[in-house]
C-alpha cells in the first residue's frame, strides 16, 4: 500500500553563504539581463515541514532551500545541462512507456 500525500512545496528565500559565493561571479550579468535565464545544477535541502491540524483545511507544506548551486558559465556547459534536463523531463513524463525496464527480462 502506497501512502499518497498532497503537499505544497515552497522554496525558502534564505541564501546560504556557499550558494551566494557560487552566484557572485554571475551577479552583474544577472542584474543586467532583466529577462535573463540561467542553467544550473541545483541541490535542495529540507528546511521546514508544516503539518496542518486535523480540523484545518490545508495541505501539508514542505519548505526547501537551495543548499548547493553551480551556474553554467559557457554555452557548452549550458547545452550539456539542457540535454540532461530534456532527458530527465522525458523520463518523468514517459509514464513508464519508454524508459521503464522490465524486471523479468532475460539477459
Amino acid at each position: 500500500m502506497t501512502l499518497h500525500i498532497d503537499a505544497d512545496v515552497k522554496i525558502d528565500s534564505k541564501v546560504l553563504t556557499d550558494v551566494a559565493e557560487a552566484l557572485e561571479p554571475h551577479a552583474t550579468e544577472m542584474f543586467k539581463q532583466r529577462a535573463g535565464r540561467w542553467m544550473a545544477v541545483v541541490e535542495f535541502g529540507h528546511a521546514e515541514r508544516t503539518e496542518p491540524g486535523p480540523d484545518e483545511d490545508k495541505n501539508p507544506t514542505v519548505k526547501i532551500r537551495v543548499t548547493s548551486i553551480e551556474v553554467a558559465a559557457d554555452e557548452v556547459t549550458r547545452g550539456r545541462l539542457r540535454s540532461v534536463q530534456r532527458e530527465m523531463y522525458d523520463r518523468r513524463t514517459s509514464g513508464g512507456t519508454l524508459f521503464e525496464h522490465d524486471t523479468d527480462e532475460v539477459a
Side-chain angles (χ1 to χ4, degrees):
M1 183 173 153
T2 303
L3 177 64
H4 179 77
I5 298 174
D6 286 322
D8 295 332
V9 177
K10 296 183 179 184
I11 297 178
D12 186 20
S13 62
K14 180 179 179 182
V15 178
L16 302 176
T17 302
D18 291 350
V19 172
E21 288 172 356
L23 291 171
E24 194 276 327
H26 308 280
T28 299
E29 195 62 30
M30 289 175 171
F31 178 79
K32 288 179 184 178
Q33 294 186 27
R34 291 177 185 243
R37 296 169 73 141
W38 295 267
M39 291 298 298
V41 175
V42 179
E43 178 183 69
F44 294 109
H46 187 276
E48 182 180 303
R49 171 188 159 144
T50 305
E51 194 168 347
D55 295 334
E56 293 183 283
D57 187 24
K58 294 181 180 179
N59 286 339
T61 302
V62 61
K63 187 183 285 188
I64 57 176
R65 163 182 306 139
V66 176
T67 57
S68 177
I69 189 168
E70 290 300 331
V71 178
D74 57 57
E75 199 53 47
V76 171
T77 306
R78 281 189 285 278
R80 289 173 59 198
L81 291 181
R82 285 198 193 286
S83 177
V84 170
Q85 183 184 42
R86 275 191 301 275
E87 179 184 336
M88 292 171 72
Y89 173 82
D90 288 345
R91 286 183 181 267
R92 178 174 58 84
T93 61
S94 68
T97 58
L98 184 58
F99 296 107
E100 188 173 291
H101 298 292
D102 186 357
T103 57
D104 295 331
E105 278 186 20
V106 177

